[in-house]
């Protein structure tokens, strides 16, 4: 789950045949019976993950709290009342729902054979269809199938939040992350919510204050306007909010490295935003401390973590910290190393350090992608209506449009507008892994990143993700690459203002 605020339970594989799987809250261990394991193994790793995630959810949601407390006060009338309450069915339903999402978010996908697993387990253990304290077998199967739809819905909301962030719709993206955090908490959600706050703060700084793109910052809206006191306060508020999110990440899991990278970027923003030299120096010192002390300590204590994956981001941060520490030669040297590793943020920053600017793709070179015959503009103009919609809040509506194709999905965001702001529809056509056709000038999924740069020019902005880079080409497309610098996803997008 990525939440280290509680001890990770011990896992035991037992030869007994009694409970299928169980959580012992006092010993903090999970028992999975060999017989249940053998049954689940027939349906793949996803089935085993489903069983373990169910028990982990009992633990992390503190389902043993009431019974433990009732035993502790059993001599009181309150203890007797607590013992008489039966919330076991509620807990079992929640364990199935959140457990399914936990297994999905851990990378096991959606378990689609839950009906076969339940039927096999009940038969193997000779259990009746209706057991005391559990939903009936048929209900558990029906609930699990409905949960699959809920998991898909949450994962699509998560993807849309990321897409909104990439195209600079930070307030909208933050609302999406808030919607998700009200239902489920994880280090990834806190990290991304903090990242969105950070990017919004960065977009409010002018180009004279902040010359560089920061690792994790996907957009800096450059402006020559002087900042008012209210803007200064807004930026500081966003910076503090971002820090809270990143620190929550680190509290949940001390070895979650992206939060440290993003936290250093926030301290750089804090230094840039404050005119007081004392506060600037404290912020820069904090940033250097994270890189020089905290990350070094983590690397020594947890050598199993993949630190090499973040080497280019660390070099960029060291370079920017050196620049603001008035050591430009060291800054250029470090940024050159990161640029040589192929990081697009580093390439852009190195050009700035050397007194030049890497201009994004020019207007006369704007190229529109075509994903299996569909574009975002084409979809929005068709006025198709999807019933698969989610009300994020009073202003925003998210829709998943189930187009009958194996090669793409369409996600849309609607803002109806108000007296001060115009409404708009924003559509994204997202390729699926199965797409094999070219989407632009011979570019295909699996093409080299450099081939995309040759066709599209320099990206407007870029962001690292855990497995590669996100390249945003304004008015063209979004390209996501993997760790091998090959294109793994392409997204066409379009914003249409409402009349």
């Amino acid at each position: 789950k990525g939440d280290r605020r509680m001890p990770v339970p011990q896992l035991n594989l037992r030869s007994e045949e009694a409970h299928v799987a169980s959580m012992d809250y006092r010993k903090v261990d999970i028992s999975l019976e060999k017989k249940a394991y053998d049954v689940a193994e027939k349906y793949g790793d996803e089935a085993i993950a489903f069983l373990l995630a169910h028990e982990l959810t009992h633990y992390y949601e503190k389902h043993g709290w009431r019974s433990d407390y009732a035993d502790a006060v059993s001599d009181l009338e309150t203890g007797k009342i607590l013992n008489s309450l039966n919330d076991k069915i509620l807990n079992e339903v929640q364990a199935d729902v959140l457990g399914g999402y936990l297994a999905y978010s851990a990378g096991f996908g959606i378990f689609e054979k839950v009906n076969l697993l339940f039927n096999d387990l009940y038969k193997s253990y000779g259990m009746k269809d209706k057991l005391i304290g559990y939903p009936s077998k048929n209900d558990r199967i029906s609930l699990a199938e409905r949960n699959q739809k809920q998991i898909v819905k949450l994962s699509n909301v998560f993807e849309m939040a990321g897409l909104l962030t990439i195209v600079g719709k930070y307030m909208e993206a933050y609302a999406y992350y808030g919607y998700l955090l009200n239902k489920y908490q994880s280090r990834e959600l806190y990290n991304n919510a903090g990242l969105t706050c950070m990017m919004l703060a960065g977009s409010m700084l002018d180009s004279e204050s902040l010359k560089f793109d920061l690792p994790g910052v996907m957009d800096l809206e450059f402006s020559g306007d002087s900042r008012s006191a209210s803007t200064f306060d807004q930026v500081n508020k966003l910076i503090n909010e971002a820090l809270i999110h990143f620190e929550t990440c680190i509290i949940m899991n001390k070895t979650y490295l992206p939060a440290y990278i993003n936290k250093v970027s926030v301290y750089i923003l804090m230094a840039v935003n404050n005119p007081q030299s004392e506060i600037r120096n404290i912020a820069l010192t904090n940033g250097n401390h994270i890189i020089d002390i905290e990350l070094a300590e983590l690397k020594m204590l947890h050598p199993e973590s993949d630190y090499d994956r973040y080497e280019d981001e660390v070099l960029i941060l060291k370079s920017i910290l050196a620049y603001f520490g008035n050591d430009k030669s060291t800054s250029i040297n470090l940024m050159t190393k990161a640029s040589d590793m192929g990081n697009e943020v580093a390439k852009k920053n190195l050009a700035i350090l050397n007194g030049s600017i890497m201009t994004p793709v020019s207007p006369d070179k704007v190229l529109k992608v075509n994903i299996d015959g569909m574009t975002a503009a084409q979809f929005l103009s068709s006025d198709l209506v999807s019933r698969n919609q989610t009300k994020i809040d009073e202003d925003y509506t998210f829709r998943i449009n189930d187009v009958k194709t194996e090669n793409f999905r369409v996600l849309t965001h609607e803002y109806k507008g108000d007296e001060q702001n115009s409404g708009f529809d924003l559509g994204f056509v997202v390729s699926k892994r199965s797409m094999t056709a070219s989407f632009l000038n011979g570019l295909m999924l699996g093409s080299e990143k450099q081939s995309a740069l040759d066709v599209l020019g320099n990206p407007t902005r870029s962001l690292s993700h855990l497995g590669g880079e996100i390249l945003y080409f304004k008015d063209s497309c979004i390209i996501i690459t993997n760790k091998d610098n090959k294109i793994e996803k392409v997204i066409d997008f379009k914003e249409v203002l409402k009349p």
Side-chain angles (χ1 to χ4, degrees):
K1 184 175 169 63
D3 188 346
R4 303 274 176 162
R5 291 172 296 183
M6 299 166 66
V8 177
Q10 176 71 31
L11 174 63
N12 302 292
L13 188 65
R14 300 190 183 279
S15 58
E16 62 193 38
E17 296 180 14
H19 304 292
V20 179
S22 59
M23 176 72 221
D24 189 321
Y25 300 99
R26 292 179 176 84
K27 294 181 179 179
V28 191
D29 68 30
I30 290 174
S31 293
L32 178 62
E33 295 174 4
K34 180 66 166 58
K35 183 173 185 176
Y37 177 90
D38 290 339
V39 171
E41 191 177 28
K42 293 187 290 185
Y43 304 103
D45 288 348
E46 296 87 349
I48 299 170
F50 180 83
L51 292 179
L52 292 178
H54 178 99
E55 299 305 326
L56 282 169
T57 300
H58 280 314
Y59 174 63
Y60 284 111
E61 295 298 322
K62 303 177 179 64
H63 287 166
W65 179 88
R66 184 190 55 76
S67 60
D68 286 348
Y69 187 75
D71 290 344
V73 294
S74 59
D75 58 319
L76 302 178
E77 185 67 24
T78 297
K80 296 176 183 178
I81 295 173
L82 286 173
N83 271 319
S84 69
L85 298 175
N86 187 1
D87 54 4
K88 188 172 176 58
I89 291 180
L90 175 64
N91 291 342
E92 291 299 326
V93 171
Q94 188 180 33
D96 279 349
V97 174
L98 294 183
Y101 187 72
L102 173 58
Y104 174 87
S105 64
F108 289 96
I110 296 173
F111 181 44
E112 297 179 343
K113 298 178 181 178
V114 68
N115 58 326
L116 300 178
L117 175 63
F118 276 136
N119 283 326
D120 207 341
L121 284 172
Y122 273 70
K123 181 179 179 181
S124 298
Y125 276 80
M127 295 185 293
K128 297 179 180 179
D129 286 1
K130 293 184 179 181
L131 300 173
I132 297 174
Y134 290 85
S136 69
K137 183 185 74 173
N138 288 338
D139 274 5
R140 294 191 77 178
I141 291 173
S142 297
L143 286 168
E145 291 172 347
R146 295 182 187 185
N147 293 345
Q148 290 175 9
K149 296 179 181 178
Q150 179 71 5
I151 292 166
V152 170
K153 174 181 173 180
L154 292 175
S155 65
N156 283 323
V157 171
F158 180 80
E159 182 175 14
M160 176 59 98
L163 293 173
L164 289 169
T165 304
I166 293 166
V167 299
K169 298 291 186 182
Y170 305 128
M171 295 297 293
E172 290 84 349
Y174 196 58
Y176 276 65
Y177 286 125
Y179 173 88
L180 290 167
L181 282 168
N182 280 332
K183 300 179 180 298
Y184 185 81
Q185 296 79 46
S186 73
R187 62 187 185 186
E188 293 84 2
L189 286 175
Y190 281 115
N191 179 71
N192 288 2
L195 194 63
T196 305
C197 282
M198 185 178 81
M199 287 186 282
L200 179 56
S203 71
M204 299 172 73
L205 297 176
D206 60 68
S207 58
E208 294 303 314
S209 299
L210 183 62
K211 298 178 182 293
F212 309 107
D213 278 9
L214 298 172
V217 178
M218 290 187 287
D219 185 29
L220 292 175
E221 294 291 337
F222 294 117
S223 170
D225 296 335
S226 60
R227 287 176 289 133
S228 65
S230 60
T231 303
F232 170 83
D233 292 338
Q234 288 174 30
V235 171
N236 269 345
K237 182 179 179 181
L238 288 167
I239 286 171
N240 290 327
E241 197 163 344
L243 283 173
I244 290 170
H245 285 306
F246 295 138
E247 286 164 0
T248 301
C249 267
I250 294 169
I251 289 171
M252 292 183 77
N253 190 331
K254 191 174 182 179
T255 62
Y256 187 62
L257 297 174
Y260 290 90
I261 301 296
N262 292 332
K263 195 173 175 183
V264 178
S265 292
V266 172
Y267 278 124
I268 293 173
L269 285 178
M270 182 183 291
V272 170
N273 189 53
N274 279 279
Q276 299 180 31
S277 59
E278 184 177 353
I279 295 178
R280 288 170 62 92
N281 290 336
I282 291 173
L284 295 174
T285 298
N286 287 340
N288 279 306
H289 184 271
I290 291 173
I291 291 178
D292 296 335
I293 306 299
E294 294 184 31
L295 289 181
E297 181 184 71
L298 283 174
K299 191 171 185 179
M300 181 179 66
L301 296 177
H302 302 278
E304 73 281 359
S305 296
D306 189 3
Y307 292 88
D308 291 342
R309 180 186 296 179
Y310 304 97
E311 184 179 356
D312 49 348
E313 278 85 8
V314 170
L315 287 170
I316 294 170
L317 289 169
K318 284 184 173 181
S319 170
I320 297 173
L321 287 166
Y323 176 86
F324 286 115
N326 299 316
D327 188 353
K328 188 174 180 180
S329 61
T330 298
S331 178
I332 292 175
N333 180 45
L334 292 168
M335 198 68 75
T336 300
K337 291 180 181 179
S339 177
D340 290 343
M341 296 174 70
N343 188 292
E344 296 301 317
V345 171
K347 292 178 185 178
K348 184 175 179 180
N349 288 340
L350 182 60
I352 294 171
L353 283 168
N354 288 324
S356 59
I357 296 177
M358 285 180 60
T359 56
V361 58
S362 59
D364 60 346
K365 198 180 178 182
V366 169
L367 300 168
K368 294 303 293 180
V369 304
N370 187 302
I371 300 178
D372 195 34
M374 179 63 73
T375 67
Q378 179 183 338
F379 183 86
L380 291 176
S381 65
S382 67
D383 292 327
L384 291 176
V385 177
S386 172
R387 295 180 180 177
N388 193 350
Q389 65 179 32
T390 302
K391 196 74 173 173
I392 300 299
D393 59 20
E394 293 182 358
D395 297 320
Y396 305 138
T397 302
F398 168 63
R399 293 186 176 88
I400 308 166
N401 296 278
D402 302 315
V403 183
K404 293 182 179 180
T405 174
E406 297 180 352
N407 294 325
F408 65 84
R409 298 180 304 120
V410 180
L411 310 178
T412 63
H413 166 80
E414 179 189 12
Y415 170 53
K416 292 185 177 180
D418 54 34
E419 294 180 357
Q420 287 79 34
N421 302 289
S422 299
F424 63 88
D425 289 320
L426 186 56
F428 297 89
V429 179
V430 183
S431 67
K432 294 182 180 179
R433 294 180 183 273
S434 57
M435 191 178 79
T436 57
S438 168
F439 60 83
L440 176 65
N441 286 25
L443 293 176
M444 304 169 63
L445 300 187
S447 294
E448 296 288 339
K449 180 183 90 170
Q450 187 57 50
S451 298
L453 299 178
D454 292 341
V455 172
L456 289 160
N458 299 321
T460 307
R461 65 184 72 98
S462 60
L463 172 73
S464 296
H465 68 94
L466 296 184
E469 284 183 285
I470 303 168
L471 308 176
Y472 170 62
F473 300 89
K474 189 175 183 180
D475 299 324
S476 292
C477 64
I478 299 165
I479 287 179
I480 299 178
T481 67
N482 60 23
K483 60 182 177 62
D484 298 318
N485 285 323
K486 295 184 183 297
I487 300 172
E488 67 176 13
K489 185 180 290 186
V490 60
I491 301 132
D492 182 50
F493 59 92
K494 181 68 175 179
E495 180 179 347
V496 177
L497 295 177
K498 290 183 176 294

